[in-house]
Each structure stands twice: as structure tokens, then as C-alpha cells.
Amino acid sequence: MSVTGQNNSNILLESGTNEIEIMEFTINENLYGINVAKVREIMLSAPVKSMPHVHPAVEGIFKPRDQVLTVINLPKYLTGEDAEKQPKDLFIVTNFNKMFIAFRVHSVVGISRISWRDIQKPDNAVSGGADGVATGIAQCNGDLVTILDFEKIVAEIAPETSIQLSEIDQLGPRERSSQPVYIAEDSLLLSRMIQEALGKAGYTNLHMFPNGQELWDTLTDMKTQGTAPNEVALVITDIEMPQMDGHRLTKLIKSDRVLCKIPVILFSSLISEEMRVKGKQVGADEQLSKPEIGHLVAVMDQLLHKAAPAENA
């Protein structure tokens, strides 16, 4: 079953609607969800070749056609227990952070389209805080669905695939910058890593927000007080976030006659050719794929330098 056809293309034709399509699946009869934009294919589970010295949740690899895929046993990862593999288990083949990975699940229920406003950030008791993998709780067709942080899961299993501070070291000596940078990122882990990396790169005036809505509320408050856009030199935003996603945030900023001059960078695991079209439609100045933090710093340098003459005029 492919999800790259009509259902997926419809949402890609629209920009800044603050909607998401969630694929619901089950593990031990519990409902979980993943953004359809991350999913490339659903297939029946197949024999997997085990690999030595890997994370306990990594089953191994398999080659369905012309591509070798790593298989992560999601029931094992979530419960820590070895569950008997069933013939009807499915592989959800995903594509994000420029990687293709298959996740074993027990069944796929269907796809629901909802507003990001209907996704609540779980409190620490439910999500586990920075150590948790629940990035949101959604209500789909009357059922509560736990949205999993697949980026965090992969980062924990394979840290080398996530943000690397060594990329900042490779940039060499850098000057400090106190220009105010506003960042929307809902993942506690990635927010912490981005803040550490940009601080190491010399950006000392960082303002972190857990979703686009809170960043937008701050901008509108500044606008009311007459201090925007002077107090914001740059906005960096993830795409997937509860309450308000990055595309909606970008569209609101770029549609506002006062705020539209603020440069906006989309920094997301979902950047693909299809999503670039959507980002361009909402007016993003740049679109970068996680986890390329060195590239992000270079683009920040360029945009802030480009904006500097206008500020000094």
C-alpha cells in the first residue's frame, strides 16, 4: 500500500492550513500515530537479516526491492519486551531526515485529517519529559491517539544520524552575535540540541518556543506594543508542531505587513521536493533538512548579514 498517491498529494497542494494527516496504527491494541508526510509505504512484514552490535530495538535489515532498509521493532522499543512477531505484522516505511527506515507495527487503522490545534502537548507525567517519545495527543474519530516522536526514536537508536556539534567545530573560530533569533521546535531533545549548537556557533540571543502558536502570540504582542519587527532578527521553525505548524506560522508572518520582512527558515526532517513547494508557497526564505546544523548556521549567517544594511539605513 502506497501513501504517496491522491490522499497525500491533496494536502501538499494546500499551504498554511494548519492541518495534518495522521496515520493511526496499533501496538498491543494501543493507538499511535505518525504524520502521513513521513510515510512512504505500508507493507507486510518480511524476514529480516539480523546485524551485530546494534540497538536492541533494531531487528536488522531487509531489501524489499532495490533498497536496503533498517527495521526498527517499535513494540520492542516502546515496551522493552520481546514480543512474538506475528504473520500479520506490518512495516511502515518512513522517509525523514533524508533516511528511509521501516518500523514494525501490529496493524494500521487508517488516516485522519485534523487541525494541529486538536493536538495537545502531553504533560511530563504522560510524555516522560525530555526522555519521552510522545510528542502529542490527538483525538481522531473519537479515539485518543498518541503521536510518537520518530525523530527522537531514531536519534536515540542511532545518535550519529542526529544533530552533530562537530559540524559547528568544523566552522572554525566565530564571532559572537547578539541578534535575537526566535526558534519554534516542539521536541524537547531537539530544542536542547539546537540551542546548544547555535550557542556554540556564537548565537547568544536565542528565544525558544515549543510550538508555532506561542511564537506567533509573542510576535503579535510585540506588534501591538510597536516593537516588532525590530526585536526579532530571524525566525527558525520546525514544521510538525502541536497547536500551530511551521507552514501556518510562516504564512502568518509573511502575510503580515509589519512582520513580513523577518526572514524565516524552515528547519525540518520533512523537507523534500514536495514539501519545498509548500514552503515556497507560504513564503519561507530558506528550507533546510534536519539534522544539518552546520548548513543551518551558514544560512543564518547569510540571512542576518543580508538584513543588516537595511537595519542600519
Side-chain angles (χ1 to χ4, degrees):
M1 169 186 173
S2 172
V3 295
T4 56
Q6 185 68 32
N7 202 29
N8 206 22
S9 63
N10 282 345
I11 196 168
L12 290 174
L13 293 176
E14 302 171 29
S15 304
T17 62
N18 207 37
E19 291 180 303
I20 176 178
E21 287 183 320
I22 294 174
M23 177 172 288
E24 302 161 56
F25 60 90
T26 67
I27 292 174
N28 298 330
E29 299 184 356
N30 293 312
L31 269 176
Y32 296 95
I34 180 173
N35 189 344
V36 167
K38 280 187 165 80
V39 180
R40 285 296 168 264
E41 190 174 2
I42 308 296
M43 60 176 61
L44 284 172
S45 60
V48 175
K49 176 179 174 58
S50 61
M51 301 295 289
H53 308 298
V54 294
H55 188 281
V58 175
E59 286 189 35
I61 57 174
F62 86 122
K63 188 176 181 181
R65 285 180 287 275
D66 57 349
Q67 187 173 27
V68 176
L69 297 176
T70 297
V71 179
I72 292 176
N73 188 315
L74 207 47
K76 172 73 178 284
Y77 175 86
L78 293 175
T79 67
E81 301 174 359
D82 286 314
E84 185 176 347
K85 300 180 181 68
Q86 301 295 329
K88 292 185 179 180
D89 284 354
L90 298 173
F91 287 161
I92 298 178
V93 180
T94 64
N95 177 217
F96 59 93
N97 282 358
K98 297 185 176 181
M99 297 182 297
F100 286 87
I101 298 175
F103 292 86
R104 178 184 293 273
V105 303
H106 291 149
S107 71
V108 170
V109 178
I111 294 175
S112 297
R113 183 170 183 173
I114 64 173
S115 168
W116 278 106
R117 286 191 173 278
D118 296 328
I119 299 178
Q120 302 299 315
K121 187 78 174 178
D123 60 34
N124 287 345
V126 175
S127 70
D131 296 324
V133 291
T135 192
I137 305 295
Q139 186 154 354
C140 301
N141 301 315
D143 296 316
L144 289 179
V145 179
T146 303
I147 311 299
L148 295 179
D149 188 344
F150 282 84
E151 292 173 61
K152 185 182 186 302
I153 293 171
V154 173
E156 180 181 325
I157 289 173
E160 68 279 2
T161 66
S162 191
I163 289 172
Q164 301 295 309
L165 290 177
S166 59
E167 290 188 30
I168 306 300
D169 294 329
Q170 292 169 7
L171 298 175
R174 293 177 52 80
E175 295 180 0
R176 313 297 283 178
S177 171
S178 61
Q179 291 177 285
V181 177
Y182 281 54
I183 303 170
E185 170 59 65
D186 68 314
S187 168
L188 289 172
L189 172 68
L190 290 173
S191 179
R192 190 172 59 208
M193 294 174 75
I194 291 169
Q195 193 168 11
E196 183 180 0
L198 297 187
K200 189 179 179 69
Y203 285 102
T204 60
N205 193 358
L206 304 175
H207 302 259
M208 309 300 296
F209 298 85
N211 57 63
Q213 184 66 56
E214 292 190 29
L215 196 156
W216 174 247
D217 289 344
T218 300
L219 289 179
T220 52
D221 286 345
M222 287 181 175
K223 181 182 169 185
T224 301
Q225 296 164 13
T227 59
N230 298 330
E231 289 190 12
V232 185
L234 177 69
V235 168
I236 301 169
T237 179
D238 188 17
I239 291 179
E240 296 180 284
M241 294 179 291
Q243 297 301 302
M244 182 187 290
D245 69 13
H247 282 139
R248 178 63 176 170
L249 173 62
T250 304
K251 184 174 183 177
L252 288 174
I253 292 172
K254 293 301 183 179
S255 300
D256 188 283
R257 63 182 181 82
V258 175
L259 304 173
C260 62
K261 292 183 180 179
I262 300 173
V264 179
I265 300 174
L266 290 172
F267 186 52
S268 169
S269 65
L270 292 178
I271 301 300
S272 62
E273 288 310 308
E274 300 99 321
M275 294 300 268
R276 282 187 188 282
V277 172
K278 196 169 184 181
K280 187 174 182 181
Q281 288 175 343
V282 296
D285 293 88
E286 293 285 352
Q287 303 181 66
L288 307 178
S289 178
K290 291 175 182 171
E292 298 174 353
I293 195 71
H295 190 192
L296 175 63
V297 170
V299 170
M300 289 173 65
D301 292 346
Q302 182 182 22
L303 286 175
L304 289 170
H305 177 75
K306 183 179 178 181
E311 293 174 2
N312 296 333

